Amino acid sequence: MPGHGNYDRHPVVALDGAHPLWTGEAVWTQLAGLARATSSPLAVDCYPGVDVGAVRDALSAADPALVVVDVEAEAALSAKDLDELLADELTDDRVFGVLSRRRIGAFFHPGELDRLRHQLARTDRPTVVVGWGASLVVPAEAPVVLADLPRWEIQQRFRAGAGNWRAGNGEEDVLRKYKRGFFVEWRVADEHKRPLLARCSHLLDTTTATPKLVTGDTLRAGLEQAAARPFRLVPFFDPGPWGGTWMEEVCGLDPAPGGQHYAWCFDGVPEENSLRLGLGAEHVEIPAIDLVLRHPRELLGERTFARFGAEFPIRFDFLDTMAGGNLSLQVHPTTDYIQRHFAMPYTQDESYYLLDAEPGAQVYLGLRPGVGLEDVRAALEEGQAGGEVDADRLVNTFPARPHDHFLIPAGTVHCSGAGSMVLEVSATPFIFTFKLWDWGRLGLDGRPRPIHLEHGLANIDVRRDTDWTRQNLVDQVEPVDAGDGWTEERTGLHELEFIETRRHTFTAPVEHDTHGTVHVLNLVQGEAAVVESPDGDFDPFEVHYAETFIVPAAVGRYRIRGTGAGPWRTLRASVRDTERT
């Protein structure tokens, strides 16, 4: 195992200059003072998942003379009305819904919002309005505090028994709660939050039990600085039924609860990961999506932004099956299918880059010659009825060795076998996996993991047989360039996919240029490396083995040199039509 034990699980974007920070009880004292110092009501607009009751109670305790108005309790639709409103988007499926295009006003009674606006416009008492949508009912000049938290923390709260926004569903299946967040709440909330990032007077970090408060200017300075330099997101690790042991050792993890092993790590997914802004010895933690929403052009580049909007289109994550089990046999939807059925604009094309592999490890990829859809259906239906599926009879297997790269355009049946450590490089719509067979096992909740056989069969491309797969998806390495002490290779992805990957192997510094699009990289070999600006535009940035890092489009030219034990390799991904050859 090639681990070096220096993986940083708590990366920080250190802000320049001095910035005020309030923590704990001082947060509520500061906000109460702000409410008293302004002639307009103060709004504390809470992202869905923030404990609004705790915010309300803390403000009341800090200053009993404050009038604290809960906009959700006063004006939100009932749980029953919300369910009826969202029935088409949420569907009956346990996992998949339809992407919502609603705006936040749809979740409130319009008459009640108007009543609150008139009531608050006439008040002469110090007043704070709390809840998601609080900024809807205060005057345009009123100060707004954005109470925020990352999606990963919301998911942890779902697992601990929290429900969706005003849904009263704390006891519901976690997958259904996640579905409601992914397809509806977070889409609407991010659209609502986007102008608040520019407007807010303060940012309230509610990620942990100890609240933290910074000014809006500090938040905006941090996002501006992050968009102009290389940075890392805060990774998170999650156990699964097929989990391995590689990440525990290499990333320095404590054992997973209940004797499980870690299966996933999201190490480069702004929609899910958080971003820590360092303020001296302290920090605040915010959703990394805030950077995408606030600085999409600087981060993504003009052409990538023009194509995808304020969405981060590339995802890096880990799949650990070392001393574990096979992933589920699966397929991803075509672009046409995902648009028609789920209203997603693009699909989950992906690839497996092998960071490590045990002897005999393999990847399942593409159908064997002569296997048709009816053969697949018959075998998988037998598996669903309690029988066994002979996956080796249906699907090709290819040996998996360190630094192999397997390309997986949508419609290709695939899965990583046991004994592999995969760096998955993919497009970002990351829940769109149609499981076909899960080897007869249960999820960590003791229930069978959802199988979507009809969706899967509708997307399997039977033309991707052994010969086609070998010629198009396996070992597609092409030399691109070389210099003194370095080589550059194209390792994929397939021409149907929009992501381009380049691997640099080096013993001397390597020059890179974003050429106007975002780069996502991982140090796939070597102890550590330093990312530098040839013009001194940012401080040298150190990364360690297996760490994913992002280089914004605005950076332009940069250099990577190895430190510690080498040789070194990086895998770099970018949007293909902005990659220069």
Side-chain angles (χ1 to χ4, degrees):
M1 189 173 292
H4 300 285
N6 54 1
Y7 182 94
D8 184 1
R9 293 184 288 122
H10 308 288
V12 171
V13 176
L15 270 64
D16 300 331
H19 300 270
L21 171 71
W22 299 269
T23 63
E25 295 301 317
V27 167
W28 313 116
T29 302
Q30 178 68 19
L31 292 180
L34 181 61
R36 284 189 168 277
T38 181
S39 58
S40 298
L42 171 68
V44 181
D45 205 311
C46 302
Y47 199 85
V50 172
D51 188 340
V52 174
V55 172
R56 182 187 61 230
D57 294 347
L59 286 167
S60 296
D63 187 346
L66 283 180
V67 176
V68 182
V69 177
D70 185 335
V71 67
E72 298 180 8
E74 294 277 349
L77 296 178
S78 69
K80 179 176 181 295
D81 288 342
L82 285 170
D83 286 345
E84 291 178 356
L85 175 73
L86 301 175
D88 288 344
E89 285 115 311
L90 294 180
T91 74
D92 292 329
D93 191 275
R94 189 179 172 199
V95 176
F96 299 117
V98 178
L99 199 66
S100 179
R101 294 301 183 192
R102 296 184 188 275
R103 296 295 182 261
I104 187 173
F107 301 124
F108 291 86
H109 295 286
E112 293 301 311
L113 290 178
D114 288 339
R115 177 186 62 80
L116 278 176
R117 292 187 188 102
H118 292 308
Q119 173 186 320
L120 294 167
R122 296 192 302 269
T123 187
D124 57 1
R125 298 176 60 189
T127 301
V128 184
V129 185
V130 301
W132 188 36
S135 59
L136 298 175
V137 296
V138 298
E141 68 276 9
V144 174
V145 176
L146 174 58
D148 216 350
L149 80 168
R151 290 184 188 176
W152 174 239
E153 174 58 25
I154 297 171
Q155 292 176 60
Q156 297 297 85
R157 297 181 187 189
F158 285 163
R159 294 177 184 181
N164 291 94
W165 186 79
R166 309 292 297 179
N169 65 338
E171 300 302 316
E172 191 174 32
D173 176 11
V174 171
L175 290 180
R176 292 184 180 276
K177 289 192 281 188
Y178 180 87
K179 177 185 71 171
R180 190 169 183 139
F182 180 88
F183 285 96
V184 179
E185 291 172 353
W186 302 335
R187 303 289 168 169
V188 178
D190 286 345
E191 183 64 25
H192 174 64
K193 177 169 62 173
R194 196 167 177 178
L196 298 184
L197 294 169
R199 174 185 176 185
C200 68
S201 65
H202 292 76
L203 180 281
L204 177 59
D205 170 10
T206 67
T207 306
T208 67
T210 301
K212 298 180 181 181
L213 183 73
V214 295
T215 67
D217 287 341
T218 295
L219 168 67
R220 287 181 284 274
L223 295 176
E224 182 177 5
Q225 290 176 37
R229 63 174 80 161
F231 64 90
R232 289 191 61 228
L233 304 179
V234 180
F236 66 79
F237 301 84
D238 208 21
W242 40 262
T245 58
W246 192 94
M247 292 189 297
E248 292 179 15
E249 181 174 334
V250 173
C251 303
L253 305 179
D254 294 330
Q260 300 295 327
H261 291 294
Y262 290 98
W264 291 277
C265 169
F266 279 10
D267 195 20
V269 188
E271 286 80 359
E272 297 260 348
N273 289 117
S274 57
L275 185 68
R276 281 187 175 156
L277 303 180
L279 309 171
E282 296 285 347
H283 71 268
V284 291
E285 192 161 346
I286 62 172
I289 191 67
D290 291 357
L291 178 60
V292 184
L293 298 174
R294 176 69 177 160
H295 290 289
R297 288 180 171 84
E298 296 89 338
L299 177 64
L300 303 176
E302 287 286 355
R303 286 172 290 181
T304 303
F305 174 59
R307 180 171 178 178
F308 293 97
E311 288 202 15
F312 200 86
I314 300 171
R315 180 188 80 172
F316 274 32
D317 61 273
F318 295 151
L319 306 171
D320 184 356
T321 70
M322 297 285 279
N326 296 336
L327 271 65
S328 62
L329 195 66
Q330 59 194 243
V331 69
H332 299 300
T334 65
T335 298
D336 178 67
Y337 195 89
I338 204 171
Q339 288 176 348
R340 289 190 294 117
H341 290 266
F342 308 111
M344 292 292 295
Y346 59 101
T347 195
Q348 188 174 326
D349 290 310
E350 65 185 30
S351 67
Y352 290 163
Y353 187 91
L354 272 293
L355 286 178
D356 201 359
E358 298 173 353
Q362 59 188 14
V363 165
Y364 290 83
L365 190 63
L367 297 179
R368 291 194 179 276
V371 174
L373 280 184
E374 290 310 310
D375 301 309
V376 176
R377 176 186 291 277
L380 296 179
E381 286 180 345
E382 182 177 346
Q384 285 295 92
E388 286 294 321
V389 174
D390 184 0
D392 291 328
R393 182 180 66 83
L394 301 174
V395 184
N396 305 304
T397 58
F398 296 93
R401 297 153 300 201
H403 301 291
D404 284 347
H405 199 174
F406 298 90
L407 315 182
I408 312 172
T412 309
V413 177
H414 66 281
C415 83
S416 174
S420 296
M421 181 61 204
V422 171
L423 170 63
E424 187 176 50
V425 179
S426 70
T428 302
F430 48 86
I431 72 164
F432 288 94
T433 297
F434 300 144
K435 294 182 182 67
L436 304 171
W437 170 241
D438 203 26
W439 314 97
R441 63 194 166 201
L442 302 178
L444 297 187
D445 59 1
R447 303 173 60 182
R449 296 203 297 163
I451 300 293
H452 286 89
L453 188 54
E454 292 307 317
H455 282 314
L457 289 169
N459 283 277
I460 292 174
D461 191 335
V462 296
R463 299 172 299 175
R464 296 179 185 172
D465 61 9
T466 305
D467 288 343
W468 189 94
T469 300
R470 183 179 289 113
Q471 293 170 12
N472 290 274
L473 306 182
V474 179
D475 193 25
Q476 300 298 299
V477 177
E478 302 174 18
V480 174
D481 202 358
D484 186 14
W486 62 271
T487 60
E488 179 181 359
E489 299 166 304
R490 179 186 290 110
T491 66
L493 276 60
H494 187 261
E495 64 181 8
L496 297 178
E497 304 177 76
F498 66 77
I499 296 173
E500 176 81 5
T501 55
R502 300 291 179 91
R503 180 172 61 200
H504 289 81
T505 303
F506 55 100
T507 56
V510 181
E511 303 292 332
H512 295 254
D513 195 324
T514 65
H515 290 299
T517 190
V518 66
H519 284 179
V520 185
L521 302 94
N522 188 283
L523 184 64
V524 297
Q525 184 175 336
E527 183 175 355
V530 175
V531 187
E532 301 172 320
S533 167
D535 303 314
D537 292 336
F538 56 84
D539 292 336
F541 178 73
E542 184 173 79
V543 296
H544 308 105
Y545 173 66
E547 291 179 356
T548 295
F549 58 103
I550 295 171
V551 180
V555 166
R557 295 169 55 236
Y558 62 99
R559 177 187 304 120
I560 301 179
R561 60 177 174 85
T563 62
W568 301 268
R569 283 182 175 178
T570 57
L571 187 72
R572 188 186 81 200
S574 60
V575 175
R576 171 173 283 134
D577 60 2
T578 59
E579 175 82 13
R580 297 188 179 189
T581 59

